[in-house]
Amino acid sequence: MIISRPQSGKVRTRRNIVMSFLVGLFLVAPWVVLPEGSPLIRLDIPKRMFHLFGGLFIPQEGLILWFFLLTMGLSLFFFTSVIGRVWCGWGCPQTIYTDLFDRIGRFVLDSKYGKKDASIIGKYTVYFLWIVVSFIASFHWIAYFVSPYEMLADYMSLSAFSETYFYFTLFFTAAMFIDIGFIREQFCRYACPYARFQTLLMDEHSWNVTYDFKRGEPRRDGKTKIGDCIACNMCVVVCPTGIDIRDGLQVGCVACGKCVDACTSIMAKENKKTLIGYFSLKQIETGDKIKWVRPRTVVYAILLGVVLTGASIQLLTRIPMSMIAASNKSMPPILIPDNKIRAFVALRIQNIAPVEKEFQLTAFDTRHGKEILIRSGEENNQFTLGSGEIKSISVVLETQTLSEQELNEGYLPGSIVLKNTQDPDEKLEKKLSLSLPRK
């Protein structure tokens, strides 16, 4: 386990701002409830609903999920190719919470933190505080799946022990304590999948934490001044993963910028510019400006733009209702007097709008442009559903009188229409193919 030396500087200050914002957002977001009563963000697995910024999404909307996953993947590709491993150093929970754990350790043990001669009481105090932080973080992680208000009330009344989420919280608390407290940089170097393929996404023009080997090498050897690097090894001492950035881009580098601040402070004493900074490899080799627009970034940007456009169109044209229609296999369509066809259909209707709505059902013979009588047991086939509410009903469809020619067509293409009574333009149509029994 590596305990790196703390390092202040411009990069550290900026990272503090970004990390404080991200941790604050993570802790606050699950508590936010919108005016209509829906949570800001929640993945309600038992009810199979996803609340996101006032929208309600369900598993049947697979295309939206597909767009979301593509956006995340292409964003990772694009930003890594342009600005390197910015996620690892500035946004990854592994990096953020490792830094937080180190702050707690230094607050309690001061200079003895990470050393073998630290007091036993101090060590266990640090472990206790780490467990508390792990529990708070795990509680809020579970709060993205279960109401935090309900969980807090259960904890206060000591009734949480019978709930499933309690054991998930315990599991994630233990996992975070072990991972952030003891595994730490080993995860970044050996287990993180992103670290394995980030070198494929970057090239010599990517803007990343880089060592200026042209100025720095060969390093100072004793009193002999050759290159600008004085071999102080501060960049290694402050590195949270224990690598030597002077050896070039490595899997273990999380681009946190601590070596940048360390080298900047040391070189300032020599009245020289830092040897480690956010550069591109090509920029160091040739001195040219960074080439932001290049085939790799253009391709990623175009793909990301196409996916974002498709996602935007899908969201803007999205109809906030769901209906699944299936013919009753045990009760096939029958021929009744006056050459009419009666069919039995099962419907599963869900309101996926954040507010209560009133719906109405209608049915049509799409081949002949005739209305089909629909009986649902509701007055005027109208009913009200709250946000996320599901209604499963069986309806009876009855066609108008069919001619002999129409009866011999074998099947009748029809459709059931679900519409919002307050907004008739908001409607959803499901097509059905009704088999026609012969006389």
Side-chain angles (χ1 to χ4, degrees):
M1 182 176 73
I2 294 175
I3 303 295
S4 62
R5 181 182 295 182
Q7 179 64 50
S8 60
K10 290 183 178 180
V11 177
R12 174 75 268 181
T13 301
R14 292 166 184 167
R15 285 182 65 225
N16 286 341
I17 296 173
V18 173
M19 290 181 176
S20 298
F21 171 76
L22 292 176
V23 172
L25 182 64
F26 171 74
L27 296 179
V28 170
W31 295 91
V32 177
V33 178
L34 300 176
E36 62 269 15
S38 63
L40 180 68
I41 302 176
R42 184 169 303 151
L43 180 57
D44 193 333
I45 294 178
K47 295 182 180 179
R48 295 174 177 82
M49 293 186 296
F50 182 29
H51 299 269
L52 182 63
F53 305 130
L56 184 62
F57 302 90
I58 59 176
Q60 287 79 5
E61 298 180 288
L63 188 58
I64 293 178
L65 175 61
W66 182 76
F67 274 124
F68 174 77
L69 295 176
L70 270 183
T71 300
M72 294 299 100
L74 289 173
S75 296
L76 185 68
F77 289 1
F78 174 72
F79 287 108
T80 302
S81 66
V82 176
I83 53 178
R85 293 180 65 174
V86 64
W87 163 254
C88 292
W90 296 71
C92 178
Q94 183 82 11
T95 303
I96 293 175
Y97 283 107
T98 297
D99 188 72
L100 180 58
F101 274 32
D102 283 347
R103 288 173 181 267
I104 294 172
R106 292 191 183 94
F107 176 78
V108 175
L109 297 174
D110 197 29
S111 61
K112 294 294 184 180
Y113 173 58
K115 297 181 179 179
K116 293 182 180 180
D117 59 344
S119 68
I120 298 297
I121 295 177
K123 284 183 179 180
Y124 281 100
T125 301
V126 171
Y127 293 159
F128 172 75
L129 294 176
W130 283 359
I131 292 174
V132 171
V133 171
S134 298
F135 177 79
I136 293 173
S138 299
F139 176 92
H140 284 82
W141 169 244
I142 300 299
Y144 284 88
F145 301 85
V146 183
S147 170
Y149 296 99
E150 295 178 5
M151 288 197 296
L152 183 60
D154 289 343
Y155 279 110
M156 296 294 289
S157 63
L158 302 180
S159 60
F161 309 106
S162 60
E163 300 292 340
T164 304
Y165 65 75
F166 173 73
Y167 299 97
F168 275 98
T169 305
L170 287 184
F171 170 79
F172 284 113
T173 299
M176 180 174 174
F177 173 70
I178 294 171
D179 176 34
I180 307 298
F182 304 98
I183 297 177
R184 301 166 68 91
E185 78 285 347
Q186 304 302 321
F187 178 85
C188 300
R189 298 181 68 172
Y190 303 112
C192 179
Y194 175 51
R196 317 323 300 179
F197 64 79
Q198 56 91 19
T199 51
L200 299 176
L201 302 177
M202 297 169 59
D203 57 25
E204 66 273 14
H205 296 286
S206 298
W207 190 63
N208 198 45
V209 174
T210 311
Y211 169 62
D212 189 345
F213 59 88
K214 292 194 71 174
R215 281 181 48 219
E217 299 296 329
R219 304 169 196 172
R220 179 180 295 181
D221 181 14
K223 295 183 179 180
T224 304
K225 295 183 179 181
I226 305 175
D228 284 351
C229 179
I230 64 174
C232 64
N233 290 329
M234 279 297 295
C235 54
V236 180
V237 173
V238 301
C239 180
T241 59
I243 68 166
D244 190 341
I245 190 64
R246 295 169 295 182
D247 293 337
L249 179 64
Q250 300 160 64
V251 170
C253 178
V254 294
C256 64
K258 291 183 70 175
C259 56
V260 177
D261 286 332
C263 190
T264 300
S265 63
I266 296 297
M267 286 291 104
K269 298 175 183 179
E270 301 278 326
N271 294 319
K272 296 178 181 179
K273 292 182 179 180
T274 181
L275 292 169
I276 306 174
Y278 283 89
F279 312 118
S280 72
L281 186 60
K282 199 70 174 179
Q283 186 180 16
I284 291 174
E285 291 176 344
T286 64
D288 296 336
K289 293 182 178 180
I290 296 178
K291 189 178 180 181
W292 300 104
V293 180
R294 53 191 190 274
R296 182 190 297 260
T297 58
V298 170
V299 170
Y300 289 153
I302 291 175
L303 291 176
L304 184 58
V306 170
V307 171
L308 287 175
T309 301
S312 300
I313 294 174
Q314 183 69 20
L315 289 173
L316 291 174
T317 59
R318 175 178 179 261
I319 301 174
M321 60 181 76
S322 172
M323 179 171 61
I324 299 175
S327 298
N328 193 323
K329 301 298 182 181
S330 61
M331 300 178 67
I334 60 175
L335 182 66
I336 61 176
D338 295 331
N339 279 2
K340 296 181 179 180
I341 299 297
R342 180 175 293 167
F344 308 89
V345 178
L347 299 179
R348 185 181 183 276
I349 301 168
Q350 184 174 10
N351 175 17
I352 53 177
V355 295
E356 181 181 85
K357 289 188 177 183
E358 185 180 56
F359 298 96
Q360 184 178 33
L361 287 168
T362 54
F364 297 92
D365 173 355
T366 56
R367 175 181 288 169
H368 308 104
K370 300 178 182 179
E371 185 177 357
I372 296 177
L373 178 65
I374 182 170
R375 295 188 178 94
S376 63
E378 304 286 346
E379 185 177 357
N380 295 325
N381 296 317
Q382 294 182 358
F383 50 88
T384 301
L385 294 179
S387 176
E389 187 177 352
I390 299 173
K391 185 179 184 65
S392 296
I393 56 174
S394 295
V395 299
V396 179
L397 303 180
E398 190 174 301
T399 69
Q400 297 184 23
T401 301
L402 301 177
S403 65
E404 293 295 332
Q405 181 180 355
E406 291 172 341
L407 284 174
N408 291 329
E409 290 174 345
Y411 72 97
L412 181 69
S415 66
I416 297 179
V417 179
L418 176 69
K419 66 179 180 180
N420 178 4
T421 57
Q422 287 85 21
D423 183 6
D425 292 332
E426 188 178 277
K427 58 184 178 180
L428 184 64
E429 181 178 353
K430 289 294 180 181
K431 296 187 180 299
L432 288 172
S433 181
L434 305 177
S435 59
L436 298 177
R438 296 181 182 275
K439 289 186 176 180

